[in-house]
Amino acid sequence: MDAVKRTVLFATPPKGGSLRDALPVVERLWRRHVGERATLTLGWGAERAIPVDAGIEELGAWLARWESERRLVLGEGDVHVDAPGCQVLFCHDADLHIESADSALLSEAKAVFTALCWQCIEAEKREPPL
């Protein structure tokens, strides 16, 4: 069986920008291409917190909650937003990763973030079949 090919879009905010600026864009893209629900998880690797099933409109509130609990500094910790076929990572490297097999989602994301002066780079990722 062939490996599954997925594309990852890496988007970095412009100087003076913030990952927080991506929230409305991610919510809009999510609704258009993925749906209303997402699994939100704080952390990375084996150190991830318990996943939370939430409406995509709750993402900002969860980020604020984790920040007020001192569990997150956005851009210094990882926040995963997952659903079948799409993963968004607010990365500890202060950039955004969008991974999907949906070329329309990635194309729209790249166009929107480029228009907002974010630097966008696409990479291909191959995964073994399930």
Side-chain angles (χ1 to χ4, degrees):
M1 240 186 231
D2 291 335
V4 175
K5 183 175 82 170
R6 294 168 67 97
T7 301
V8 181
L9 177 69
F10 298 92
T12 305
K15 186 174 179 143
S18 163
L19 279 181
R20 192 167 311 286
D21 301 334
L23 279 172
V25 176
V26 169
E27 287 181 19
R28 224 175 18 254
L29 289 168
W30 199 268
R31 280 194 179 95
R32 271 180 68 91
H33 297 277
V34 182
E36 293 293 325
R37 306 296 298 172
T39 301
L40 311 177
T41 313
L42 177 64
W44 58 279
E47 308 249 343
R48 286 194 193 188
I50 296 170
V52 176
D53 179 52
I56 194 63
E57 75 281 357
E58 297 174 70
L59 176 57
W62 276 100
L63 294 176
R65 176 181 177 175
W66 289 328
E67 287 174 319
S68 72
E69 293 171 349
R70 299 184 188 267
R71 297 173 64 198
L72 172 69
V73 173
L74 194 60
E76 294 180 16
D78 288 345
V79 176
H80 303 262
V81 182
D82 299 304
C86 187
Q87 299 171 330
V88 174
L89 171 63
F90 289 82
C91 184
H92 65 272
D93 289 327
D95 64 350
L96 188 72
H97 306 189
I98 302 173
E99 184 176 337
S100 179
D102 182 346
S103 60
L105 182 152
L106 294 170
S107 179
E108 184 177 344
K110 185 176 183 181
V112 170
F113 282 114
T114 299
L116 294 172
C117 298
W118 286 50
Q119 179 184 13
C120 294
I121 299 170
E122 288 180 89
E124 212 172 81
K125 179 178 179 181
R126 293 190 180 273
E127 299 174 343
L130 297 176

